[in-house]
Amino acid sequence: MSIAAATRTLKVRIKRYDPELDQPPRWEEYDIEADPLDRVLDVIQNVKWLHDDSLGLRRSCAHGVCGSDAMRINGVNALACKILVKNVRGDTLTVEPILGLPVIKDLIVDMKPFFDHYKAVMPYLVNDDPPPTTERIQTPEERARFDDTTKCILCACCTTACPPFWGDQKYVGPAAIVNAHRFIFDSRDRGAAERLDILNDAEGVWRCRTVFNCTSACPRDIKVTQAIQEVKRALLTGSVHTDDALHILES
Ligand code: SF4
Ligand code: FES
């Protein structure tokens, strides 16, 4: 016989904003019965389904893969589908949209500025060399060099946890640099010099103040700050190191 874990009542505070009704945004509170193993996403969906279906939120996979339910939960950026109720301290759950992007409605932000920065760093393989008869071969060590930054799901938790980004939304932001890193250090890629040139700008990597908020916020445990530091180092040295090779960048 299994013993069900005791449910608890959470006071859920949600920042609400309907551009046609709310100037400025307002806070709404709901008492929600929650199981310790419920996720914060379940709690918020219960608010929508049982209390107020006008609540706006974005989510898709509910399993930490799509990155669409990034929000600020008790002051910390996270994916609502990855935080369990048992890990919420106290009896109040405060939920607001991620910071630094325009709010469309309630917890839904306009991701276009975020994806504009992402697209600006050429987040794709550049290689016009004649294609080999088989694959473009890469050693396990060369593949490992950029493994960490392949894990990004573009949730924006890092960029919207970054104080320099809050102060200046022209800053390309941690997520874009992570995705530039993924290709800059790929031995098959030929676009590193161009990407580094884009990032060698006051609104590029040099806006980073090494606050580490990005690394703390990343739900994929990517070493975001380290990736940014490696891009800075590549710019300062003019080279991209791998474990077994040194590629001197074209000037
Ligand atoms: S680096 Fe991490 S926090 Fe930033 S967008 Fe990618 S997965 Fe999200
Ligand atoms: S809903 Fe897809 S990551 Fe949370």
Side-chain angles (χ1 to χ4, degrees):
M1 188 179 77
S2 64
I3 301 172
T7 59
R8 60 194 277 210
T9 302
L10 278 178
K11 186 169 289 302
V12 183
R13 294 178 70 241
I14 303 184
K15 196 171 193 179
R16 304 295 305 269
Y17 174 67
D18 180 336
E20 293 177 4
L21 300 174
D22 304 316
Q23 297 296 344
R26 63 196 158 84
W27 290 91
E28 286 276 357
E29 289 188 4
Y30 312 85
D31 289 332
I32 300 293
E33 199 71 12
D35 186 278
L37 295 181
D38 283 346
R39 301 157 305 179
V40 167
L41 180 62
D42 298 315
V43 175
I44 299 168
Q45 289 185 145
N46 280 344
V47 169
K48 182 173 177 67
W49 293 337
L50 305 177
H51 294 263
D52 185 350
D53 64 4
S54 73
L55 175 65
L57 70 140
R58 194 186 270 133
R59 57 100 179 86
S60 182
C61 71
H63 285 86
V65 177
C66 72
S68 63
D69 63 339
M71 52 189 78
R72 208 165 153 81
I73 299 167
N74 284 354
V76 176
N77 280 6
L79 300 175
C81 64
K82 285 197 72 174
I83 306 294
L84 296 179
V85 164
K86 70 176 183 179
N87 293 324
V88 173
R89 285 198 190 154
D91 292 325
T92 301
L93 175 67
T94 302
V95 183
E96 23 177 351
I98 47 179
L99 302 177
L101 294 170
V103 177
I104 296 173
K105 185 173 187 294
D106 298 332
L107 302 173
I108 301 172
V109 298
D110 181 359
M111 295 288 282
K112 184 175 184 307
F114 174 80
F115 284 112
D116 284 347
H117 287 311
Y118 167 66
K119 285 187 273 186
V121 300
M122 304 164 57
Y124 43 81
L125 193 86
V126 175
N127 191 331
D128 293 330
D129 295 350
T133 50
T134 57
E135 301 92 354
R136 294 189 194 277
I137 301 295
Q138 189 168 56
T139 67
E141 291 74 22
E142 287 171 332
R143 174 61 180 76
R145 180 66 188 82
F146 59 93
D147 183 68
D148 199 36
T149 47
T150 63
K151 297 174 191 160
C152 177
I153 56 172
L154 294 170
C155 66
C157 281
C158 56
T159 296
T160 60
C162 170
F165 181 74
W166 296 337
D168 174 11
Q169 279 94 44
K170 288 186 186 152
Y171 169 39
V172 68
I177 302 171
V178 160
N179 285 279
H181 177 288
R182 181 256 171 269
F183 291 101
I184 287 169
F185 294 93
D186 186 331
S187 60
R188 301 162 301 175
D189 184 82
R190 301 289 177 264
E194 198 176 343
R195 258 181 232 104
L196 286 169
D197 193 47
I198 293 166
L199 292 170
N200 190 20
D201 188 274
E203 305 294 357
V205 291
W206 307 117
R207 183 70 67 195
C208 168
R209 294 291 182 268
T210 323
V211 181
F212 281 95
N213 275 19
C214 52
T215 300
S216 307
C218 180
R220 303 299 307 251
D221 295 328
I222 296 170
K223 298 179 191 71
V224 182
T225 312
Q226 180 178 313
I228 296 172
Q229 293 303 106
E230 288 174 6
V231 172
K232 286 179 179 173
R233 195 178 311 125
L235 277 166
L236 290 171
T237 61
S239 67
V240 179
H241 293 268
T242 63
D243 286 347
D244 60 352
L246 171 66
H247 301 281
I248 303 297
L249 296 173
E250 296 165 9
S251 60

